[in-house]
Amino acid sequence: MLTLLSLPDLFSQENAWIHPKPLLFFLLVGCSTALYYGVSLMDPGYVLTDCDEKYDPRPANGGQEMTSLNPGAVRMRRCGYCLLKQPMRARHCKSCQRCVRRYDHHCPWISNCVGEKNHRVFILYLALQLMVLLWAFHIAWSGFHAEETWTEWLYANIFLLAAFIVIGIFTMVVSLLLVSHLYLISCNVTTWEFMSHHRISYLKQCDSDTNPFDRGILRNLWSFFCTCGNVVWERIYFRDTLHIV
C-alpha cells in the first residue's frame, strides 16, 4: 500500500495529523480561559432577599414524613453582617460582602466565591485546566534535547526546564484541588463544612463521621451535576434527622 503513495502524498497525510493537534491545544486553552472568566464573573448564588421559608420537621399525616414548607416552623439564621435570613448551608463571605447559598469557599484564584450556582462550572474549569496542563507537561517533556554533558544540556534546556517545573507545580496543585473537590462532592460536603464542622450550628449535634446531607455517592453526584435551581437543604436535613431519631 505504501509503495502506491508518492512522497508528497505521504508528507501531506503526515501534516494532516500534525496540524489539528496545536489547533486542538489552543482550542482547549481558549475554552479554559473562557471558563475562568465565566466562573469569576458568575453569581455564585448570592442571597438577595430574606429567605422566609421555614421547614417543619414534625411528622404529619399519621406519622409520615412531611416534605412541605410550613410558615410556623424552624426559623432561619439572620446574618450579622448583611442582616438577611440565611438558608441552610449559606455563609457570609467577608471578601465579597455577600451571603452565598451552599457556600464552599472563596477562591483567590478566581477572585470570587464558589457556591451553589457556579460550583459545577468551577469543577469543569478545573478539569479542563488539568487537561491543558497535562498536555503542556507532555510538550515540555518531549522538547528536551540530549547533550553530551550536563552543563551543555542545562545550557540548551534552561528555559524549557524552568517552564517544565512551573507546569509540574501547577499540575500537582490543580490535580489535588480537583480530586479533593470531587471527593467532597461525592460525600455532599462543602469545603467550609469539612473544615469547620465543629463550629457550624446545624452540624454540631452530628458526629464528625455523620453528614446529614449525604444520600449516597451516586445520588450526591447526580444531585450536584444534574440538579438545576436552588435546593431546600432543610428538607434533606430534617428528613434524615427524623430517621436518626
Side-chain angles (χ1 to χ4, degrees):
M1 182 65 180
L2 292 177
T3 57
L4 300 177
L5 296 175
S6 61
L7 289 177
D9 293 335
L10 289 174
F11 184 74
S12 62
Q13 288 189 9
E14 183 180 0
N15 286 338
W17 287 99
I18 292 176
H19 292 309
K21 292 182 179 180
L23 291 177
L24 180 59
F25 178 76
F26 285 112
L27 179 62
L28 289 176
V29 172
C31 292
S32 176
T33 304
L35 282 175
Y36 171 80
Y37 285 106
V39 75
S40 299
L41 300 174
M42 278 184 66
D43 174 9
Y46 293 128
V47 180
L48 302 178
T49 58
D50 275 352
C51 296
D52 294 327
E53 301 143 341
K54 299 153 192 165
Y55 187 78
D56 190 351
R58 293 172 299 177
N61 300 327
Q64 294 180 354
E65 178 187 349
M66 182 177 180
T67 59
S68 60
L69 295 178
N70 188 333
V74 177
R75 295 184 178 275
M76 296 181 181
R77 178 179 178 271
R78 186 174 291 277
C79 176
Y81 295 93
C82 58
L83 303 179
L84 293 175
K85 291 182 181 178
Q86 294 178 337
M88 188 169 285
R89 309 190 82 180
R91 183 175 186 264
H92 184 89
C93 176
K94 295 182 180 179
S95 299
C96 297
Q97 296 298 318
R98 306 285 289 274
C99 287
V100 180
R101 291 179 176 271
R102 195 185 170 275
Y103 175 86
D104 189 85
H105 71 289
H106 181 88
C107 181
W109 195 351
I110 63 174
S111 298
N112 194 11
C113 282
V114 177
E116 194 168 62
K117 286 189 177 181
N118 67 343
H119 201 167
R120 280 173 290 190
V121 182
F122 182 73
I123 295 299
L124 181 59
Y125 163 70
L126 289 180
L128 196 57
Q129 186 67 41
L130 182 59
M131 291 176 58
V132 173
L133 288 171
L134 290 174
W135 198 334
F137 190 85
H138 172 72
I139 293 173
W141 177 264
S142 61
F144 287 114
H145 299 288
E147 300 293 340
E148 294 182 357
T149 64
W150 280 104
T151 304
E152 294 177 353
W153 181 89
L154 186 62
Y155 181 80
N157 300 284
I158 182 64
F159 294 106
L160 189 60
L161 179 62
F164 181 81
I165 294 174
V166 172
I167 293 172
I169 293 174
F170 276 102
T171 301
M172 291 181 59
V173 171
V174 174
S175 300
L176 292 174
L177 192 59
L178 179 60
V179 170
S180 62
H181 271 277
L182 290 176
Y183 169 74
L184 293 178
I185 290 168
S186 67
C187 300
N188 204 345
V189 177
T190 64
T191 302
W192 170 56
E193 291 171 345
F194 180 78
M195 300 297 295
S196 306
H197 186 280
H198 61 287
R199 295 192 293 111
I200 300 176
S201 58
Y202 57 85
L203 295 179
K204 282 182 178 180
Q205 61 184 8
C206 303
D207 297 334
S208 58
D209 297 332
T210 303
N211 175 23
F213 306 108
D214 186 10
R215 293 180 289 175
I217 295 177
L218 294 180
R219 292 187 65 184
N220 291 338
L221 293 174
W222 175 267
S223 175
F224 179 84
F225 288 105
C226 302
T227 300
C228 298
N230 297 326
V231 179
V232 183
W233 295 106
E234 288 81 0
R235 292 182 176 178
I236 301 173
Y237 179 84
F238 286 119
R239 179 200 62 192
D240 293 341
T241 302
L242 285 175
H243 287 173
I244 294 174
V245 176

